[in-house]
Amino acid sequence: MTRPWIAVGIDGSETAREAMLWAAEEASRRRVALVIAHAGDVTSGEVPDEYGTELLREAEASVFESDATCPVTARISEENPVRFLTELSHDADLMVVGSHGLGRAASSVVGSVAFRVASHATCPVAVIPRGWQPPPDPRAPVVLGVSATTAGRTPMYFAFAQARSLGVPLLAVRAWSRLDWTGDLSDLMYRTSSSFETSQYDYLERVLKPVRAAFPDVQVQTLVCGGRVEEVLRHESAHRRLLVLGSRFTDGHTYSRLGPLTSRLLHAAQCPVVVVGHRTPARVETSEASSEVSSHA
């Protein structure tokens, strides 16, 4: 498949169905194809062919019965679900998964399949929380967590493109912990100083400047505050359209591309979370350019 497309993994759970309908709406808005993928039962590892085929047939019917206008295809595999979805991510523009599945981790905040796909995929991954409903405010913004690394640039372009596509403002958040016990006392004093706060305002405006220029029609709100980053972003995710986060490590990292903050927010955020990875520092600019071009499609 050479044209842009979005993939969604399903397993028969209600959360997966909600994720599928979210993905269908996203694909329709982007005017791209939707691929519905199933790789058997998460708990046993078995692949019930008849069950999987019927599941995909019902899933396609549900999309057609919704307001979605995207082309839909289905794929089934005997592979492990995480491996199958990760392989699909190599060519997909976005991978969508529900936060809970049918496996033994279904009672956890974020199921093991969703977490591992977000950790190892090589495209942006949207994790849709169970029971999530669009906020009542149609102008609820897309929230962007702005990091202090160059890898954070790629999520910026993605978040701005999403805000423009949805026709909503973007809220850029830059937070830091005033109680950073990993440093020495002088570092703690520096982080609580007014000069440090001013430097964070300057930093946020500086990193946003080129993205604002690329998306002049997106209304931008900013929030700079001292506080635990996880708590600030979790609070800001309430009644929001989307939370966009970056990854600490490059796509294809041996263990996981997620850092501890993104990992915790996958569990704690109150709206859909999109993890936007990055390749290598040398290719960050290429990724940004690609995001900008696709946003104009």
Side-chain angles (χ1 to χ4, degrees), residues 255-277:
Y255 298 103
S256 171
R257 64 179 181 175
L258 305 183
L261 174 63
T262 301
S263 298
R264 291 195 297 269
L265 281 166
L266 282 177
H267 293 268
Q270 303 175 64
C271 70
V273 178
V274 178
V275 177
V276 182

Side-chain angles (χ1 to χ4, degrees), residues 223-235:
L223 172 63
V224 175
C225 67
R228 289 189 60 189
V229 183
E230 176 186 346
E231 292 181 358
V232 172
L233 290 174
R234 182 188 62 79
H235 174 76

